[in-house]
Amino acid sequence: MRKYIIRRVLISLPMLLGISIITFTFINLAPGDPISAMIDPEEFQGLEDAQAMRESLGLDRPIPVRYVLWLREVLQGNFGYSYMSRRPVLDIIMDRMLATLELTTSGLVIATILGTIFGIIAALRQYSAYDYTLSIASLFGISIPTFFFALVALYIFSLKLHWIPSYGMYNAAEGFTILGNLHHLIMPAFVLSIDSMSGNTRYARTAMLEVLNADYVTTARAKGLAEYVVISRHAFRNALLPMITITTLRLPGLIGGAILIETMFSWPGMGLLSIKSITNRDYPILMGLTFFSATLVLYANLLADILYAYADPRIRVQD
Amino acid sequence: MALIGLAIIVLFSSLAILRPIVTWHHPNAVDLTKFKNAPSLPFIHGSLSESHIMGTDEAGRDIYARIVDAGRVSLTVGLLASGLSAFIGTIIGMVSGYAGGRIDDLLMRFTELVMTFPTFFMIIILVSLLGPNLLNLIVVIGFFGWPGKARLVRGQVLSLREMDYVMAARALGASDRRQIFIHILPGIMGYVAVASMLTIAGAILTEAGLSFLGIGVQIPTPTWGNMMTSAQSMFILENNPWIWLPPGVAISLTVIAVNFMGDGLRDALDPRTRIE
């Protein structure tokens, strides 16, 4: 088990390097120039001025050189400075990270718990009205765009019923309170979770059905165990195994969904920051954001693999 | 279910093709005297050319004509991006599964690498930096869609390679090329087709999301996503639901239809899902 974990952690290091190389190349090869986005046309001092700015930011050097310089700084914990605000990238991202984590974690928890419950209900009552309703609802859930759900939710709950505020993380007039924060969180988190929840429902249903047809469940029933013992001890636990992997596979999608949700609900997280940085062509921030989110996904996957090995003895034995 | 899906897709495609016949306004015709008009029925609220059965948007354009026209973009992006990712995925998966060893290791690590990227985020960055046009959208969305298919194809190649009939072909001296194209490829096309149907849905949703954020296909070309951009304003969201509701319903119906077809195709091609 320890060997397995050490090997997986070691493999993740070259993957991190790969992530950084790919991101750096993509972002720097893209046309469009931060200098022209930065210069105020009314104060334009001529091309020499632009050239001086380009040199001061190191943008005149070849890309491989810039990558090595960037990597050397990153290893010392310096992710560079925003072209726009000149603040350290790490500070800017940290300011936004908590908001995004709150939103995506809530979304992930809602999606995992409700999705698993729905899927298992559907499987236990296969071909019943519950099953058909949940199957159709989950198909609609993965098909209807997140931003359309968000618009409808805003229209109904914020604009018509006035139950839930339409923007921000808390009421600015009242200041930050936990209750106020939750009040603002519930709608974006729920809308964000719909897509993953529906996908999870479909997976959990399949996983549970597969387990219910397995020989050991038949054996358990043949022994005369009560049905709820068969379901909870024998079937349920094994159906949860694939859900571990599915949950982490949802992460990239949730981070993507968070960009839309944050923009629509003015949730001050990394998604909103990324849209702003794209408009400004603020490369250091974009690099930082991509690097952070890819790293997050990479290590979430690693965690899932370890949890999986821990939960499923068959994998431990193989090693 | 799959047939309902097919019917919806055929309906939207034929409407888009027959647009000049089934609509009586040009989708891009701006008429500022008809700013955000509510839906009006022909012959009841004036003559045919004066009426807008789905209303007009904030530039006085006919929403019905734009909805009908926008289907083209969504379906094109969906089909081509998914086709591109199926093509890349099949090649990488085949090479990886057939060559094995070092090459397999390297390609699979690369595949995992691409999978760890928060796809939508990368697509947003790349599309907006490369320039938001239809071609870039298709290429970028297609480029991030292949890893799942590569792994699927690799798995299938690995199991097919050991099948008796492929062994027999090898024993008879069939070349690598013959084994791959005549014996293995036909066996995996079904799986690729099912996976591709499901990524068409994903590609349509991604395009819609990007266009909604204003970094996808640019106006005046109508797409269901960019027709809803104006609903980011709370005023339009609250007072002019006819502007954002129909495109939202159109995307949803299309993606539901594609997913119905994908599920149907999977059940038809893979009998294992039909047990019980």
Side-chain angles (χ1 to χ4, degrees):
Chain A
M1 187 69 185
R2 180 183 289 175
K3 231 165 104 186
Y4 175 78
I5 296 177
I6 293 177
R7 206 184 62 209
R8 288 303 316 259
V9 172
L10 284 180
I11 291 179
S12 77
L13 294 177
M15 301 261 295
L16 268 185
L17 204 65
I19 288 175
S20 72
I21 293 178
I22 296 182
T23 343
F24 197 87
T25 318
F26 274 159
I27 290 179
N28 284 283
L29 280 181
D33 177 13
I35 302 290
S36 33
M38 268 157 105
I39 292 178
D40 184 348
E42 286 180 10
E43 290 174 20
F44 186 58
Q45 304 281 320
L47 286 171
E48 295 82 14
D49 199 39
Q51 185 57 29
M53 273 173 89
R54 187 165 283 124
E55 277 168 23
S56 79
L57 291 169
L59 286 171
D60 55 331
R61 310 227 193 144
I63 287 179
V65 175
R66 274 154 57 189
Y67 173 73
V68 173
L69 289 175
W70 179 83
L71 192 66
R72 199 178 66 193
E73 292 300 311
V74 165
L75 289 175
Q76 295 166 12
N78 175 12
F79 280 81
Y81 298 86
S82 158
Y83 287 161
M84 293 297 137
S85 65
R86 308 289 166 126
R87 285 180 61 211
V89 169
L90 203 60
D91 289 4
I92 297 180
I93 293 183
M94 285 303 158
D95 282 352
R96 302 292 192 114
M97 182 98 100
L98 220 57
T100 296
L101 279 182
E102 183 185 6
L103 182 66
T104 43
T105 317
S106 318
L108 192 65
V109 169
I110 298 174
T112 310
I113 296 181
L114 289 185
T116 312
I117 294 177
F118 288 154
I120 285 176
I121 292 178
L124 290 179
R125 302 259 179 281
Q126 200 186 5
Y127 302 135
S128 69
Y130 286 117
D131 186 21
Y132 283 117
T133 315
L134 284 169
S135 298
I136 293 284
S138 57
L139 193 100
F140 278 35
I142 58 168
S143 303
I144 298 174
T146 308
F147 62 89
F148 187 44
F149 272 125
L151 287 180
V152 174
L154 277 170
Y155 183 71
I156 297 176
F157 296 108
S158 296
L159 298 176
K160 293 293 161 191
L161 297 173
H162 301 287
W163 284 355
I164 297 177
S166 61
Y167 65 93
M169 272 182 88
Y170 53 87
N171 189 326
E174 289 171 14
F176 184 89
T177 57
I178 292 192
L179 216 61
N181 180 230
L182 286 179
H183 191 199
H184 282 76
L185 172 69
I186 180 152
M187 192 159 66
F190 190 80
V191 172
L192 177 63
S193 78
I194 293 177
D195 179 47
S196 305
M197 189 200 306
S198 312
N200 285 348
T201 305
R202 284 159 66 97
Y203 271 104
R205 178 178 181 274
T206 316
M208 191 69 179
L209 282 178
E210 231 162 65
V211 169
L212 285 175
N213 285 316
D215 290 341
Y216 55 82
V217 171
T218 315
T219 311
R221 285 208 177 108
K223 280 197 301 191
L225 290 181
E227 185 64 15
Y228 85 92
V229 179
V230 175
I231 301 294
S232 60
R233 292 265 175 82
H234 296 258
F236 179 64
R237 287 186 174 190
N238 286 295
L240 279 186
L241 279 179
M243 296 310 292
I244 297 178
T245 319
I246 293 302
T247 303
T248 49
L249 284 181
R250 297 269 167 236
L251 260 181
L254 275 174
I255 293 177
I259 296 178
L260 277 163
I261 295 290
E262 284 181 10
T263 311
M264 298 182 65
F265 292 87
S266 310
W267 189 265
M270 289 157 61
L272 210 55
L273 175 67
S274 66
I275 296 289
K276 204 177 90 188
S277 312
I278 286 171
T279 326
N280 293 334
R281 302 201 182 277
D282 203 334
Y283 294 163
I285 294 204
L286 286 178
M287 269 301 295
L289 283 172
T290 319
F291 191 71
F292 266 95
S293 33
T295 310
L296 189 74
V297 176
L298 182 69
Y299 282 98
N301 282 340
L302 182 65
L303 189 70
D305 283 349
I306 294 171
L307 277 178
Y308 200 102
Y310 185 74
D312 188 348
R314 283 170 298 186
I315 292 186
R316 261 177 293 169
V317 173
Q318 265 179 21
D319 251 15
Chain B
M1 284 305 199
L3 286 179
I4 300 176
L6 186 65
I8 294 175
I9 298 295
V10 169
L11 176 74
F12 275 125
S13 331
S14 36
L15 277 179
I17 295 167
L18 298 175
R19 197 207 76 220
I21 302 169
V22 295
T23 67
W24 50 94
H25 292 283
H26 190 274
N28 297 346
V30 171
D31 182 353
L32 290 176
T33 60
K34 289 181 177 165
F35 172 74
K36 294 199 287 195
N37 280 4
S40 54
L41 292 172
F43 309 120
I44 297 170
H45 301 106
S47 69
L48 186 67
S49 62
E50 277 171 18
S51 64
H52 298 273
I53 53 168
M54 287 180 156
T56 57
D57 66 7
E58 66 284 1
R61 291 171 296 211
D62 183 53
I63 290 183
Y64 170 57
R66 289 177 77 72
I67 291 268
V68 166
D69 196 49
R72 270 183 322 143
V73 174
S74 289
L75 295 171
T76 311
V77 171
L79 278 175
L80 294 184
S82 180
L84 177 67
S85 68
F87 183 71
I88 303 177
T90 310
I91 290 181
I92 293 192
M94 293 274 285
V95 171
S96 195
Y98 197 79
R102 260 265 152 73
I103 299 177
D104 181 29
D105 260 359
L106 216 72
L107 283 175
M108 281 303 109
R109 288 298 93 73
F110 180 63
T111 307
E112 281 165 28
L113 199 70
V114 178
M115 276 181 126
T116 49
F117 278 101
T119 315
F120 189 67
F121 182 55
M122 284 310 286
I123 292 176
I124 287 186
I125 293 186
L126 281 178
V127 168
S128 51
L129 295 186
L130 292 173
N133 59 48
L134 200 59
L135 182 71
N136 284 343
L137 270 173
I138 293 170
V139 170
V140 172
I141 295 176
F143 183 79
F144 280 95
W146 62 265
K149 282 174 213 142
R151 281 164 55 133
L152 179 89
V153 168
R154 172 178 174 272
Q156 288 303 315
V157 171
L158 283 180
S159 70
L160 284 181
R161 206 176 56 167
E162 304 305 324
M163 293 289 232
D164 290 341
Y165 73 92
V166 180
M167 294 269 219
R170 200 175 308 147
L172 286 171
S175 64
D176 279 347
R177 190 203 288 179
R178 191 177 164 81
Q179 283 178 47
I180 291 177
F181 288 103
I182 306 288
H183 298 288
I184 295 181
L185 192 61
I188 56 174
M189 286 324 283
Y191 293 92
V192 175
V194 172
S196 303
M197 276 313 280
L198 298 175
T199 43
I200 290 180
I204 292 177
L205 286 176
T206 307
E207 183 275 322
L210 288 173
S211 297
F212 174 73
L213 285 175
I215 40 191
V217 176
Q218 301 292 305
I219 44 174
T221 307
T223 78
W224 291 327
N226 73 20
M227 289 176 69
M228 296 165 79
T229 307
S230 60
Q232 284 186 35
S233 130
M234 287 295 148
F235 186 80
I236 289 184
L237 182 65
E238 180 164 13
N239 299 304
N240 315 100
W242 66 85
I243 292 182
W244 56 269
L245 209 53
V249 172
I251 309 172
S252 306
L253 275 179
T254 307
V255 181
I256 289 169
V258 171
N259 278 328
F260 272 158
M261 286 166 69
D263 280 1
L265 198 62
R266 187 191 57 206
D267 291 347
L269 290 174
D270 183 3
R272 277 176 307 171
T273 57
R274 274 186 305 187
I275 42 167
E276 291 113 32

